[in-house]
Amino acid sequence: MKKVAMFTMGTRGDVQPYIFLSKALINKGYDVTLGSHPCWRNLIERENIRFVPIGPDIDIEKEAAVIRGKNSNPAISMLKTMNFVFKIIQNSTHEIFEVCKGKDLIIVSHSQMGATEAEVLGIPTVNVTLQKEMIGEKLKPQTFWSKLIGGFIAKMVAKPYNKIRKVYKLKPVKSADEIMSRKLNLIPISKYVVERSPYWEAHNIMTGYWYDDKSDYVPDEKLKAFLASGEKPAVLALGAMAFEDTSEKEKLDMFVNAIEKAGCRAIIQGFQKTLQNYELPKTMLACGSIPHSFLFKQASFVIHHCGFGTTAATMIYGVPSIPVPHVLDQMGFAMQLSNLNVATNPLKIKNLSENTIYEAIMEMKNSYAEKKKNAESISEKIKTEGGVLEAVELIEKYAFVYEDL
């Protein structure tokens, strides 16, 4: 039995794709170990995946909320969060190294965890990249200035990885590309949502989204009754962006008042601290952690932060969106949805108010038929792609052909 390890750091949206991939590999007979923050143990182990804790026992979503609360600029907020996570990865290299020992393959996540450790141990790697902007366009003709700027950015990105390489007395790299697999880079995004760049090298392969429609989730009686009592509700699902360091009544008020003013029913995920002493209108229901594979199918539209996983779920289940991106990478996903005409114009977090939210909901209502039709059409196409099964086939084709490595 082939032994595979993979590691990922970050919020739930950074972990979920690797859960889907782990389950698909296990179903094909592979021995899989998934390492992440200790706080994700229950999430991973309840899917019958072997889990190993990596790094300190912190609540990563709370830590991200603290960083976000101190930095209103989306770019700075993302960089601060990345630096925080990179520090954990650097300090955890010996833990990662021990888990890698004896494995036949290391699947390297978007944070490049495990790449250097695998190199030291001589273990083949496969990469996963969640954002197309992070893939170098190596085949694109370069000007003097693009080379200069690109080289500077590459050097900055490589800096934290060189700190890990120094631990193992490896030569520094000039860019993260040098530590990525030359065999296979899996991109779990649909070609019906994003076009493949003609400047990517051949080993960068878009598989389609990774998801699992098989769910044993059963809604409780309260949720069942709410869903049966009226028209399909809007869903407010800001993911980790709705995880509060402190109560955020003012922010929740804006959404609740705008949704009520627009005459919509709604289900609200997150805002757990705020909702402890908050009375929602009877047309709204607060819910905890409910799989998007169930919840989004019940939604008329979703107001969300455009994290990778939530964006993918709206496309997979054919639901229009009102994007509320909080950090830089989420803005990219929001623009994907807008370009496909399955979403309203993104709401800028700095301009967020009851009125701007209300106007976005009314924009959604006025163009709903077209946006819903577009979303359902894309959903049907997505379901013809291989997705996670395609990823497993590619791993088997490229990663385990040792004579070609």
Side-chain angles (χ1 to χ4, degrees):
M1 182 183 291
K2 300 291 187 185
K3 295 183 177 181
V4 178
M6 63 185 94
F7 310 89
T8 183
M9 289 279 168
T11 58
R12 180 166 180 166
D14 297 303
V15 177
Q16 196 67 59
Y18 302 96
I19 291 176
F20 293 138
L21 183 58
S22 295
K23 288 174 68 176
L25 285 165
I26 290 167
N27 289 339
K28 289 283 284 187
Y30 293 92
D31 181 328
V32 178
T33 300
L34 178 55
S36 190
H37 302 283
C39 65
W40 296 125
R41 179 185 290 275
N42 291 339
L43 176 68
I44 293 168
E45 288 189 338
R46 72 179 179 223
E47 299 291 348
N48 296 315
I49 300 166
R50 183 184 297 108
F51 171 77
V52 290
I54 302 292
D57 191 0
I58 59 171
D59 189 325
I60 187 60
E61 295 197 323
K62 179 180 178 180
E63 297 294 338
V66 171
I67 294 169
R68 193 176 67 250
K70 292 178 180 177
N71 301 277
S72 58
N73 183 286
I76 293 174
S77 180
M78 188 182 80
L79 288 172
K80 292 275 189 182
T81 304
M82 286 174 61
N83 286 337
F84 179 79
V85 171
F86 276 139
K87 183 67 73 174
I88 296 174
I89 294 171
Q90 289 168 25
N91 293 338
S92 303
T93 183
H94 295 299
E95 296 172 63
I96 295 167
F97 184 84
E98 288 301 314
V99 176
C100 286
K101 284 182 178 177
K103 300 299 187 292
D104 299 292
L105 176 71
I106 306 300
I107 295 176
V108 179
S109 68
H110 52 290
S111 58
Q112 307 301 327
M113 286 181 73
T116 300
E117 295 81 0
E119 181 181 340
V120 174
L121 292 164
I123 302 171
T125 62
V126 162
N127 273 84
V128 176
T129 303
L130 303 183
Q131 295 166 250
K132 68 181 184 66
E133 293 81 7
M134 299 302 292
I135 303 169
E137 294 184 314
K138 293 292 189 67
L139 305 181
K140 190 173 186 177
Q142 298 287 303
T143 66
F144 170 79
W145 289 110
S146 65
K147 281 183 182 179
L148 188 67
I149 295 168
F152 174 76
I153 294 172
K155 189 175 180 180
M156 294 301 295
V157 172
K159 197 172 181 180
Y161 304 119
N162 281 330
K163 290 181 180 179
I164 298 174
R165 294 180 70 80
K166 190 174 181 180
V167 171
Y168 300 100
K169 297 180 171 55
L170 295 175
K171 290 170 59 177
V173 294
K174 293 180 180 179
S175 79
D177 288 348
E178 293 179 47
I179 62 174
M180 290 183 69
S181 170
R182 299 298 302 167
K183 275 288 176 184
L184 181 62
N185 178 36
L186 297 166
I187 308 157
I189 302 175
S190 171
K191 62 178 177 287
Y192 298 111
V193 174
V194 172
E195 286 187 16
R196 187 185 189 282
S197 170
Y199 302 116
W200 286 349
E201 295 172 291
H203 67 280
N204 297 301
I205 300 177
M206 294 171 65
T207 61
Y209 289 121
W210 299 348
Y211 63 99
D212 183 359
D213 250 345
K214 297 173 184 175
S215 174
D216 55 3
Y217 176 78
V218 177
D220 61 25
E221 292 305 316
K222 192 174 181 181
L223 178 56
K224 276 184 185 176
F226 180 81
L227 291 171
S229 66
E231 63 185 16
K232 280 192 169 188
V235 169
L236 176 62
L238 298 182
M241 303 302 114
F243 190 101
E244 316 111 309
D245 178 37
T246 57
S247 176
E248 295 188 10
K249 183 178 183 298
E250 185 178 340
K251 186 176 182 180
L252 182 56
D253 278 343
M254 289 190 294
F255 283 102
V256 169
N257 293 340
I259 292 168
E260 188 172 36
K261 183 179 176 182
C264 297
R265 287 165 26 97
I267 293 175
I268 297 172
Q269 278 195 309
F271 293 101
Q272 297 305 306
K273 281 189 180 180
T274 308
L275 285 165
Q276 287 174 5
N277 300 298
Y278 194 101
E279 188 172 346
L280 287 170
K282 291 182 180 179
T283 54
M284 299 182 200
L285 178 72
C287 71
S289 180
I290 294 178
H292 289 163
S293 57
F294 173 84
L295 186 60
F296 284 13
K297 291 175 183 175
Q298 320 305 320
S300 57
F301 60 89
V302 182
I303 305 170
H304 64 100
H305 63 302
C306 288
F308 174 83
T310 312
T311 300
T314 62
M315 292 284 82
I316 292 163
Y317 302 113
V319 191
S321 300
I322 295 179
V324 192
H326 287 59
V327 295
L328 197 60
D329 60 326
Q330 295 169 3
M331 291 180 175
F333 293 129
M335 289 312 300
Q336 288 177 13
L337 297 177
S338 292
N339 292 340
L340 292 166
N341 194 19
V342 297
T344 63
N345 290 319
L347 286 169
K348 294 180 180 178
I349 195 69
K350 67 178 182 179
N351 296 332
L352 200 63
S353 68
E354 180 182 325
N355 189 54
T356 58
I357 297 166
Y358 170 75
E359 287 177 350
I361 295 172
M362 296 312 294
E363 180 191 343
M364 173 61 71
K365 281 191 164 189
N366 292 334
S367 58
Y368 185 77
E370 184 180 11
K371 287 180 171 54
K372 178 64 173 174
K373 182 180 177 182
N374 291 341
E376 288 181 339
S377 175
I378 292 169
S379 172
E380 289 174 10
K381 292 174 183 175
I382 285 170
K383 289 172 182 176
T384 66
E385 294 178 295
V388 72
L389 296 179
E390 173 74 8
V392 171
E393 288 180 11
L394 288 166
I395 288 168
E396 292 183 314
K397 181 178 178 181
Y398 291 105
F400 292 116
V401 185
Y402 289 99
E403 61 269 25
D404 289 344
L405 291 171

